[in-house]
Amino acid sequence: MTNKEAIKRTDEQLLAELGYKQEFKRVFTPLEVFGIAFSIIGLLPSIASVLAYSLPNGGPSAMVWGWAVASFFIFCIGLSMAELASAAPTAGGGVIQLYFWTHSLSSPRYRNLLSWVVGSSLPFPSDANTIGNIAGVASVDWACAVQIAAAINIGNQQFVATQTQTFGIYVAVVFSHGIICSLGTDILARLQNLYIILNFCLCFVVLIGLPIATPKEYMNSASFALGNFTNVSGWPNGFAFIMSFLAPLWTINGFDSSVHISEEATNAATAVPWAIVSAVSIASLLGWAINISLTFCMGTDLTSLISSPQPMAQIFLNSFGQTGTLVIWSFVVLAQYMMGSSLVLATSRQTFAFARDGALPLSSILYRMNRFTCTPVNTVWFVAAIVALLGLLSFAGAQAINAIFALSVTGLYIAYSIPIASRPETKANVVQSLPVAVIAVSFMAFMNIVFFFPATPQTSASNMNYTVVVLGGVLVLSLVWYYFPVYGGVHWFTGPVPNVGKEDATEYDSKSSSKVVDEKVEAVIMETDI
Ligand SMILES: *[C@@H]1O[C@H](CO)[C@@H](O)[C@H](O)[C@H]1NC(C)=O
């Protein structure tokens, strides 16, 4: 047995201990698991999409200091998640879905309900984690469509995309992501290396290229770049500053994605927590540097930047000129595009895991592995279809799209908070770093409340914040579905369903006898032989 085979063996054994058999190919190396998390963060293209949130809510100060403050809290969230991934008994080699963690970590009395909310419910994936991820895909692909429109606009200033044109581009982007994510896992894994390189190159274009290329009249003094506070949102200054946190929070988000592909990773128990912590810390630092570079090179005319549909494209245009901007912007679009495909990948794998546990009505159709590609093709297209439909919300106005952006943060924060907060109640053998967990959970709760506020205080029905309506509505429906007489989840949902042996997977804990484990591993081997 070679070393590589030995590692693979351990991954499969750990998965079997949790009661699941190996169904995916384990082809992601640790670096590629990091690549998934890092490309979903997609630093530069993400910052480009959310400048529209930080510029009106404080300008340079929000970009530099808002980023720094929020990064500290995001790092605490990342640490707590990584700790769960490395120390929770379920984290071993396998099914590290958030709702699985929730089920095995929270107190027996509430665990079915809590993992229902985090994990599975309703006719379509409506739980907090999936809502967050699907809204994430929709917001990323929407931003990609807007950036493609901006690219055409850079080439031809007459062209401004209509709503219908942007929607058309969006559907094409989603469709092509469906195709990419149906391909063999090997191809997807190898692509991650390209993602990492492209992402880093773009960062260095802004860190090094931009200051060199920017003409003198657009260079700013340190006192402006690091100290100017411009708030045009209408909110009081302090609250506006906090609203600007949406920029870093949306950018450094979705790092649970590396969790969702853990069944396809080699040496997952180490690779996944490592990927989370390094992706979050590298993204925080590099992102901060990028924001500082931008504030020094963006000129002082904030009003025209705020009114531009793509402020970053405008900054590039001022500094690099038309041709240079077109070249760089194409790579920004490409990186944004790759971010979308990584997200579709992670979300489809997560939906596959729900279907395996019978938690979706169409489970028998969705829980199917395509024999030729060895990927869950049905769930990929299921996710792509819902994302495409979500795009129709864009016809309801700009605020509906903002709601999808905020939803991708709030949905995930609910899904992250529950397993992190459940920890102190358990007797599970988890290393406790309580202060970090307390900071992380309080911050997520606080920001979820902040994101229920509209972008400006002067609201009407057309520019209200729909986040509260969509998220609240879905969570209420989810609870109704759970407690519904006879058919509700309370009558049949018992958490994750193991597909090896018959023991309840969640009964497994650190004290579980190795005999049971051996039997399960044997069962796996026997099934593989047949
Ligand atoms: C920030 O910059 C803007 C635009 O140059 C200027 O009008 C404003 O007075 C500055 N504010 C502060 C607090 O320096």
Side-chain angles (χ1 to χ4, degrees):
M1 206 188 277
T2 67
N3 204 14
K4 211 168 170 185
E5 275 168 4
I7 289 179
K8 208 170 139 202
R9 188 107 209 108
T10 336
D11 284 327
E12 281 171 25
Q13 271 172 12
L14 280 164
L15 188 59
E17 285 168 17
L18 304 177
Y20 291 87
K21 67 177 185 235
Q22 181 71 39
E23 288 176 286
F24 288 98
K25 286 199 254 172
R26 284 195 188 270
V27 291
F28 282 82
T29 66
L31 186 65
E32 288 160 349
V33 178
F34 165 79
I36 281 270
F38 194 70
S39 76
I40 283 181
I41 291 172
L43 212 43
L44 189 73
S46 293
I47 294 176
S49 305
V50 287
L51 273 188
Y53 294 99
S54 45
L55 276 173
N57 285 308
S61 294
M63 287 166 68
V64 175
W65 305 114
W67 184 282
V69 173
S71 292
F72 166 77
F73 291 106
I74 297 169
F75 188 65
C76 292
I77 300 171
L79 275 184
S80 302
M81 297 283 289
E83 194 188 350
L84 282 184
S86 66
T90 54
V95 198
I96 323 189
Q97 306 299 341
L98 292 184
Y99 77 115
F100 192 101
W101 289 355
T102 307
H103 195 266
S104 42
L105 292 179
S106 41
S107 81
R109 199 159 155 211
Y110 299 113
R111 66 187 189 182
N112 283 350
L113 173 62
L114 288 176
S115 72
W116 175 274
V117 172
V118 174
S120 56
S121 52
L122 277 189
F124 56 91
S126 64
D127 58 282
N129 201 178
T130 311
I131 292 173
N133 277 329
I134 291 204
V137 175
S139 59
V140 165
D141 281 1
W142 184 260
C144 186
V146 171
Q147 288 177 356
I148 292 173
I152 304 171
N153 176 266
I154 295 169
N156 171 11
Q157 307 275 330
Q158 299 337 328
F159 175 85
V160 178
T162 63
Q163 196 70 31
T164 319
Q165 284 165 333
T166 312
F167 180 74
I169 301 173
Y170 171 78
V171 171
V173 168
V174 174
F175 183 77
S176 61
H177 282 157
I179 294 175
I180 292 180
C181 294
S182 304
L183 298 177
T185 317
D186 307 51
I187 304 173
L188 291 167
R190 298 295 93 79
L191 271 177
Q192 294 309 316
N193 296 321
L194 186 67
Y195 289 13
I196 300 179
I197 295 169
L198 178 63
N199 271 311
F200 277 112
C201 288
L202 276 176
C203 294
F204 289 114
V205 165
V206 173
L207 291 181
I208 299 165
L210 188 66
I212 295 173
T214 304
K216 265 219 169 66
E217 67 263 34
Y218 285 108
M219 289 300 273
N220 294 328
S221 65
S223 69
F224 178 88
L226 303 177
N228 185 284
F229 188 88
T230 303
N231 168 19
V232 297
S233 69
W235 289 111
N237 287 345
F239 192 71
F241 186 70
I242 291 170
M243 289 291 263
S244 80
F245 288 0
L246 182 58
L249 295 194
W250 189 78
T251 303
I252 313 177
N253 196 17
F255 36 82
D256 59 312
S257 52
S258 41
V259 170
H260 299 310
I261 58 145
S262 51
E263 282 176 57
E264 293 165 75
T266 51
N267 200 8
T270 321
V272 172
W274 182 85
I276 295 174
V277 170
S278 45
V280 168
S281 39
I282 293 176
S284 303
L285 290 175
L286 262 182
W288 196 49
I290 287 173
N291 271 295
I292 292 176
S293 174
L294 287 173
T295 58
F296 271 97
C297 302
M298 69 184 182
T300 52
D301 187 0
L302 296 178
T303 328
S304 77
L305 283 181
I306 291 169
S307 59
S308 147
Q310 273 289 313
M312 193 180 288
Q314 190 60 47
I315 296 172
F316 284 1
L317 211 50
N318 296 342
S319 300
F320 293 114
Q322 195 190 28
T323 318
T325 303
L326 253 186
V327 174
I328 298 167
W329 197 252
S330 330
F331 285 105
V332 173
V333 172
L334 187 63
Q336 179 79 15
Y337 182 84
M338 291 172 159
M339 196 162 117
S341 69
S342 298
L343 257 182
V344 173
L345 178 70
T347 309
S348 65
R349 297 329 191 231
Q350 184 202 19
T351 312
F352 178 83
F354 291 159
R356 172 169 59 192
D357 291 339
L360 297 168
L362 297 174
S363 292
S364 56
I365 300 172
L366 292 176
Y367 174 44
R368 207 166 284 174
M369 198 61 101
N370 184 297
R371 224 172 263 153
F372 178 66
T373 58
C374 298
T375 52
V377 171
N378 292 3
T379 52
V380 169
W381 289 101
F382 178 73
V383 168
I386 295 177
V387 169
L389 287 177
L390 261 185
L392 286 173
L393 267 180
S394 62
F395 292 100
Q399 290 301 319
I401 286 294
N402 286 352
I404 293 180
F405 272 74
L407 197 58
S408 65
V409 176
T410 49
L412 286 183
Y413 277 8
I414 291 176
Y416 294 176
S417 298
I418 294 178
I420 296 176
S422 303
R423 267 183 346 163
E425 285 187 32
T426 77
K427 286 173 211 78
N429 198 4
V430 174
V431 186
Q432 302 270 341
S433 40
L434 204 55
V436 176
V438 168
I439 294 174
V441 172
S442 325
F443 178 71
M444 289 191 281
F446 175 68
M447 287 316 293
N448 271 12
I449 296 168
V450 169
F451 287 154
F452 286 162
F453 283 87
T456 63
Q458 299 84 30
T459 50
S460 61
S462 68
N463 67 359
M464 72 170 285
N465 187 329
Y466 288 96
T467 316
V468 65
V469 181
V470 179
L471 187 61
V474 166
L475 286 178
V476 167
L477 273 179
S478 167
L479 287 178
V480 169
W481 178 252
Y482 185 76
Y483 285 112
F484 202 79
V486 187
Y487 298 107
V490 71
H491 302 292
W492 54 268
F493 182 73
T494 51
V497 184
N499 61 2
V500 170
K502 289 204 179 64
E503 292 94 338
D504 181 356
T506 56
E507 294 308 320
Y508 170 77
D509 64 19
S510 48
K511 288 180 217 87
S512 163
S513 78
S514 60
K515 189 167 158 282
V516 177
V517 172
D518 287 347
E519 278 168 10
K520 284 182 178 172
V521 173
E522 259 174 44
V524 182
I525 295 167
M526 272 167 62
E527 276 195 42
T528 335
D529 286 348
I530 300 161

